[in-house]
Amino acid sequence: MAETRKTKVLIIGSGPAGYTAGVYASRAMLDPILVQGIEPGGQLTTTTEVENWPGDTEVQGPDLMVRMEAHAKAMGCEIIGDIISSVDFSKRPFVCQSDSGTEYVADAIILATGARAKWLGLPSEEKFKGFGVSACATCDGFFYRGQEIVVIGGGNTAVEEALFLTNFASKVTLIHRRDELRAEAILQDRLHKNPKIEPLWFHQLEEVIGTENPNSVEGVKVRNVKTDEITEIPCKGVFVAIGHAPANELVADTLETHMGGYVVTKPDSTETSIPGVFAAGDLTDHKYRQAVTSAGMGCMAALEAERFLAADEG
Ligand code: FAD
Ligand code: NAP
């Protein structure tokens, strides 16, 4: 029989926002339940060094997230490996169904489902996904020892991925549609100093080319955005690093969103358009999208949920 779990606060997501909300809600004696989702620890588990988490000059992303989980658990947060499949915010208490069949019933909800990698949407990208096309250098970089690879994008992720991939690859071509990077200065500096990385400015990926049975990447066709000229670059791996989109599928029909799907919250608050439902982290943040800002919003959400529940009881 399907189990029903009741809680004052259900936290959906286990990135910096979710775990910080877990710490604060536990210390507020709200006995929160946190559902981790498909990626326990969130996006930072897909990277290596994190150099801007205060208190750690350098920390491995996965290690930081293990510590955050342990911290939330130690404060009393119940952490469950499950995935929320649907939410019903039409009346309180709110009801959430999950992949395991468990129904979670909660007086307040903290949404912290973060963001996911964007893809270019090319048929050839789809065809070779998992066979030479990837969005995670830390996961797949190891397979490209001594090979030539390309990285698409010009933000922090693209530059970090390119730098990381030089640990394995013989050459990394960074393909960017402009001649200016969005990445922060320190990363740009490292990129330009790395002899294994060659930037290719004003180019877009047109097609991934390769062989079939088994699928294997042999190169890419790129288009010069100024001249439309098509060039082929031989490579064995293609890393797409063109940004992230908010993971809003649970709430896109229910909550107000803007700027490409980010959940709208009230100014200086994590309150959404439904009282008792709070949103924190990359799900709502189109501007900063950092671990520390996500954690800050997780704190805000828990404090606001506490006040909401106290007002409800009073
Ligand atoms: P996320 O970390 O995205 O976590 C979302 C969580 O929600 C996941 O646990 C997921 O399983 C869960 N979830 C999603 N859907 C469901 C569901 N239906 N049911 C249950 N759970 C669900 N920021 C920095 O400050 N410094 C860095 O050095 C840095 N490096 C980065 C490197 C890379 C490669 C990437 C991709 C990002 C990096 N960032 C960095 C950005 C940082 O990772 C994010 O800003 C931060 O992780 C966002 O935290 P979050 O808690 O909002 O969500
Ligand atoms: P981002 O900052 O949004 O950058 C995306 C890059 O991809 C941009 O250069 C963009 O080009 C390019 N792009 C987007 N769509 C494209 C398309 N269809 N075709 C070709 N190129 C395309 O994304 P991100 O680098 O993933 O970073 C996301 C957030 O996480 C940021 O807030 C970032 O600071 C944070 N993060 C932080 C760190 C860190 O602190 N060390 C590391 C990783 C990520 P244009 O520039 O032309 O728009």
Side-chain angles (χ1 to χ4, degrees), residues 217-298:
V217 170
E218 297 297 333
V220 287
K221 282 186 186 170
V222 290
R223 181 175 57 83
N224 183 317
V225 295
K226 293 187 151 185
T227 63
D228 274 343
E229 189 190 344
I230 303 279
T231 324
E232 269 187 39
I233 303 174
C235 65
K236 293 305 266 180
V238 179
F239 286 83
V240 180
I242 58 163
H244 288 75
N248 67 8
E249 47 290 330
L250 286 177
V251 296
D253 296 338
T254 333
L255 295 180
E256 199 185 328
T257 61
H258 68 165
M259 314 281 289
Y262 291 89
V263 168
V264 174
T265 51
K266 295 190 178 150
D268 301 322
S269 165
T270 61
E271 285 175 43
T272 68
S273 44
I274 297 180
V277 178
F278 303 87
D282 279 13
L283 172 67
T284 165
D285 177 12
H286 57 88
K287 198 169 174 188
Y288 303 107
R289 295 173 298 173
Q290 302 295 303
V292 69
T293 46
S294 297
M297 283 186 253

Side-chain angles (χ1 to χ4, degrees), residues 159-187:
V159 174
E160 279 193 346
E161 304 255 277
L163 288 164
F164 177 72
L165 287 165
T166 60
N167 291 321
F168 313 99
S170 54
K171 180 183 172 190
V172 178
T173 306
L174 181 81
I175 301 171
H176 184 36
R177 60 185 177 186
R178 298 186 292 135
D179 67 345
E180 230 176 281
L181 296 167
R182 250 172 225 278
E184 58 198 57
I186 189 166
L187 292 174

Side-chain angles (χ1 to χ4, degrees), residues 49 69-70 119 132 147 159 164 167 175 177 191 216 290 298 302 308 311 313:
E49 292 90 10
E69 175 179 356
W119 296 93
Q147 316 266 23
V159 174
F164 177 72
N167 291 321
I175 301 171
R177 60 185 177 186
L191 177 98
S216 168
Q290 302 295 303
F308 171 81
E313 279 167 14

